[in-house]
Amino acid sequence: MAVPESGNVLGKYRIVRPIGRGGMGVVYLAEDGNLGREVALKVLDRTVTCGEDFEERFRQEARTVAGLKHPNIVTIHSLERIDGDWVIDMPYIEGGSLADVTCRGGLTLGQQLGYARDALLALASCHEAGIVHRDVKPTNVLVTLHDGK
């Protein structure tokens, strides 16, 4: 897939702008045209999704993650294939990543410990479900605007 540009439509989603890039693909701020809400839409890179056992393994992992109920874990709204691309629809978390927050200004020790505690509680929940994250880093820890930490 060509990288969607702002205003492009991908299935029921209108791309607003890119908000992140990682090893598995690009995350966009998008609008769900059916529900009229902002979402974070992760479009997986086709080089990652081309293995013959990828689909079943990925669907199973997405089902497991979607079943997690924890306040510090982003919910998966849906996993679907659109025009040959795998996309994951998740809530848009306004506030950015822990890396963004750190770059904007210093955090107190209490704030740092609070974020570490929240991340560890989320990881513990994943581990209890048999999931290992494998890519824990400040750019993958999202911070809501109302955290106030």
Side-chain angles (χ1 to χ4, degrees):
M1 172 192 116
V3 176
E5 294 181 21
S6 298
N8 283 4
V9 174
L10 183 61
K12 66 180 182 177
Y13 304 98
R14 184 182 59 80
I15 303 300
V16 176
R17 64 181 163 81
I19 55 176
R21 179 179 303 274
M24 289 196 66
V26 180
V27 181
Y28 298 92
L29 171 60
E31 182 181 327
D32 179 329
N34 291 342
L35 300 176
R37 66 178 172 193
E38 289 186 327
V39 298
L41 189 69
K42 185 172 195 172
V43 180
L44 301 184
D45 187 312
R46 286 189 180 180
T47 61
V48 174
T49 65
C50 64
E52 79 183 42
D53 66 334
F54 171 82
E55 183 173 345
E56 183 52 40
R57 191 177 73 247
F58 189 67
R59 281 187 186 278
Q60 181 56 47
E61 186 172 318
R63 277 187 210 104
T64 303
V65 172
L68 295 175
K69 304 291 184 233
H70 192 278
N72 298 333
I73 297 176
V74 173
T75 304
I76 294 178
H77 290 152
S78 70
L79 165 70
E80 53 192 297
R81 201 162 189 175
I82 302 173
D83 299 331
D85 291 302
W86 284 101
V87 300
I88 303 170
D89 174 332
M90 302 169 284
Y92 171 61
I93 308 295
E94 194 170 355
S97 71
L98 183 56
D100 297 333
V101 171
T102 302
C103 287
R104 287 194 296 257
L107 296 172
T108 67
L109 178 59
Q111 291 169 317
Q112 293 172 41
L113 292 173
Y115 287 129
R117 178 184 175 278
D118 290 348
L120 290 171
L121 289 170
L123 288 170
S125 180
C126 290
H127 291 182
E128 287 172 12
I131 298 170
V132 178
H133 189 288
R134 295 191 181 116
D135 196 20
V136 179
K137 58 188 176 188
T139 54
N140 285 342
V141 176
L142 300 179
V143 177
T144 61
L145 286 178
H146 66 271
D147 276 349
K149 293 179 181 162

